[in-house]
Amino acid sequence: MKPYPFTAVVGMPDLRLALVLSSISPAVGGVLVRGEKGTAKSTMVRALAGLLPGVEVVDGCRFSCDPAAPDPLCPDGTHAAGAAAHQRPARLVELPVGAAEDRVVGSLNLEKALAEGVTDYQPGLLAAAHRGLLYVDEVNLLHDHLVDTLLDAAAMGRATVEREGVSVSHAARFVLIGTMNPEEGELRPQLLDRFGLTVEVASSRDPEQRVEVVRRRLAYEADPDGFAAGYADEDASLAADIEAAQRLLPAVKLPDDALRQIAEVCASFEVDGMRADIVTARTAVAHAAWAGRDEVTTDDIRVAARLALPHRRRRNPFDAPGISEEQLEQALEDAQPPAGPDNDGPGDGPDDGPGSGSAPPAEADQAPGDGARQPQSQPGNDSGKQKTVGAGDTFRARVFRVKGTGEGERGRRSRAITDSGRTIGVQPPSVREGRPHLVATVRAAAPYQRSRGRSGPGLKVRTQDLRFALREGREGNLVLFCVDASGSMGARTRMREVKTAVLSLLMDAYQRRDKVGLVTFRGDSAELALPPTISVDAAASRLEGLPTGGRTPLAEGLLEAARVLKVEAIRDPRRRPLLVVVTDGRATSGADAVARSQAAAGLLAGVTAIVMDCESGRMRLGLAGELAGHLGAEHVPLADVAAESLASAVRARTGRAA
């Protein structure tokens, strides 16, 4: 069955252009596609491979060496000039979210290395993607260390495996394409910056366009080969245009005036580092080649900036990506060279190539704010009594950890047995997972060398001799916030402080790769405002619009938190929870409110919990401290959530100046 044709995809001109430009110039650094589910992100990426020209590869080489310029360090040996070769289609290699590191970069056979003294390297997905496309669906769900590995290989053009003193390296030049749904969590800014281009996609709200999408999809499912044949000429024409642009690319000139415009644009948007300037320049050159020009113009720079800069504006996970069209046009205008009889400036050349008009101006996005968020009014149960207060600037929060040692997903919060980190022991022979432990393996095999008839150098190793390292690292946790939104929390200053503290803890959870959830309680009930997710910006948005008012149903809040944790333990049993209860400890809703709250606290026994005490004023009842006692939780006054507060207290106790 043939894949869905690239030219049959309806709409999404920005994504179409970004993929084409990355195909023309892989040095651009790949594309990150952000968008809601069901927007044909994967369909368009998979269709792209059919447009790329075939590649010549050396016969028998597992690493797809180019016969015209073979890799001198190829693990399959040095290929002689004029070696036999054949042509194959460009590959699209898909990286599954759950892939292990060995599957990505390749692996060394330790048993053969010890027994035979040879390096037996098994290629991974990076080798398979060499000179083709590497596609990572849901890249935001991939482990950070794997994303780092992919981006390093894409930037350096090589993949290296080093294990137990053995090093193997091979060429790995590919176009990296990642797709993600922002609702499921963001990539760290450092990783976002490593992607060359980014595109936001969304489903059309035009009924006619939606009808056409459904019509084409149903036609494809009814007769895939026949449907693809109907677009074969259009795909072939587009593939020819891409190949022509690839041939023109080395001849495209980037004059100093254009470089100055690029620098002016990047400086005006205050992007960090120089990668933005380099990527924008490479993208502008690729767009000029796509348009059939041999010199970069202002139009090329404008298109390149729209694709290369939006994701580099983000300073924290709560900022929305995007650039201001007015600011972009002003920066381009400010950098225009003075007009003269012999200098009309970049941008006045012809624009009749295949890429002209393929990137219509996007709607201007709001630039990220300065940290203070505007309050949003939302309806609630106490009409006329509820109010909404925004948060202030975030701060560096204290680090709260789950007790004991877990075995959860790799993260940066609590101690855990992981596949990375420091070695603390050796796994028993029955456990065969993780990386082999060389010293322990040699020790296990050494006593049997004579009985195995070993003579001469080398070591005879059997499968039962292999030992694997037991490593301790850090895991990500589920941080569930249970926030009191009742009237007793409604003082404007206090609620601003509460939201600021919780927002700071959310920032900490984002940096430590945690899942987060939000339970709120007010009036006479509690609700799950945000089911557990890795999207901390979604939690921040729900928190920002949280209204306050009414009585305090503390028992209902704790019961809802217990229910959420029970369900999540079934869905994600390896991820240990950290419960953060944000309250002043009052319980005023319903009969026997205090007794019911104490009973509800008993259901959370054994869960690592923090009670953030929001009580203020001179006369304090200390109810939050009593709740912490019932929960077996750490009692933390609101003012002590900041890391600097803890440091000041330590300095004061040790007699140093604050």
Side-chain angles (χ1 to χ4, degrees), residues 408-583:
E409 297 294 335
R410 184 183 302 193
R412 298 182 177 179
R413 182 174 297 278
S414 306
R415 292 173 54 189
I417 301 300
T418 64
D419 57 358
S420 65
R422 64 188 184 96
T423 301
I424 60 172
V426 179
Q427 299 273 27
S430 59
V431 180
R432 297 188 176 277
E433 53 186 40
R435 293 185 176 181
H437 192 288
L438 178 59
V439 175
T441 298
V442 171
R443 284 177 178 171
Y448 305 102
Q449 296 306 296
R450 180 174 297 179
S451 63
R452 291 173 184 174
R454 191 197 82 174
S455 61
L459 191 70
K460 289 197 173 183
V461 180
R462 300 290 184 262
T463 303
Q464 63 267 25
D465 299 329
L466 292 178
R467 300 292 185 270
F468 295 84
L470 181 65
R471 299 174 182 270
E472 182 180 275
R474 295 286 178 183
E475 67 177 359
N477 298 113
L478 165 61
V479 182
L480 180 64
F481 292 90
C482 186
V483 180
D484 184 349
S486 64
S488 63
M489 301 284 290
R492 184 178 184 84
T493 302
R494 185 192 305 182
M495 201 59 199
R496 178 176 292 275
E497 292 174 350
V498 168
K499 288 189 175 182
T500 301
V502 175
L503 202 63
S504 301
L505 289 172
L506 282 172
M507 176 72 77
D508 181 70
Y510 166 78
Q511 294 168 343
R512 299 182 188 282
R513 311 307 290 165
D514 296 318
K515 289 178 72 173
V516 296
L518 177 62
V519 170
T520 63
F521 54 95
R522 58 186 290 269
D524 58 2
S525 63
E527 67 169 335
L528 179 58
L530 181 72
T533 175
I534 61 173
S535 179
V536 295
D537 51 342
S541 177
R542 300 292 174 87
L543 176 72
E544 193 62 36
L546 179 65
T548 59
R551 291 184 172 272
T552 309
L554 179 58
E556 283 70 19
L558 297 178
L559 288 171
E560 179 64 12
R563 186 195 67 81
V564 172
L565 294 180
K566 182 178 180 181
V567 172
E568 195 63 18
I570 298 173
R571 291 177 176 170
D572 193 356
R574 296 181 61 205
R575 193 178 291 268
R576 298 186 296 156
L578 173 65
L579 176 64
V580 181
V581 182
V582 185
T583 182

Side-chain angles (χ1 to χ4, degrees), residues 215-280:
R215 181 183 293 118
R216 293 189 185 185
R217 187 68 201 185
L218 293 178
Y220 172 74
E221 292 175 355
D223 182 11
D225 293 340
F227 182 83
Y231 289 88
D233 291 342
E234 293 182 49
D235 271 10
S237 176
L238 182 58
D241 290 339
I242 292 174
E243 193 169 0
Q246 289 174 334
R247 291 195 299 267
L248 178 60
L249 184 69
V252 176
K253 299 176 183 178
L254 182 64
D256 287 344
D257 289 341
L259 275 175
R260 191 169 294 108
Q261 280 190 302
I262 291 170
E264 183 74 30
V265 168
C266 294
S268 69
F269 284 106
E270 299 180 348
V271 294
D272 294 331
M274 295 299 298
R275 186 174 284 117
D277 303 63
I278 295 171
V279 171
T280 303

Side-chain angles (χ1 to χ4, degrees), residues 200 269 309-314 320-324 364-368:
E200 295 276 343
F269 284 106
L309 298 185
H311 59 303
R312 294 183 167 91
R313 295 286 328 265
R314 300 192 65 170
I323 60 175
S324 165
D365 293 305
Q366 292 295 326

Side-chain angles (χ1 to χ4, degrees), residues 4-38:
Y4 197 89
F6 189 86
T7 53
V9 178
V10 178
M12 295 191 290
D14 287 346
L15 176 56
R16 190 186 309 269
L17 180 62
L19 293 175
V20 166
L21 295 182
S22 291
S23 301
I24 294 171
S25 176
V28 164
V31 183
L32 176 65
V33 188
R34 298 162 46 91
E36 58 196 20
K37 54 186 176 293

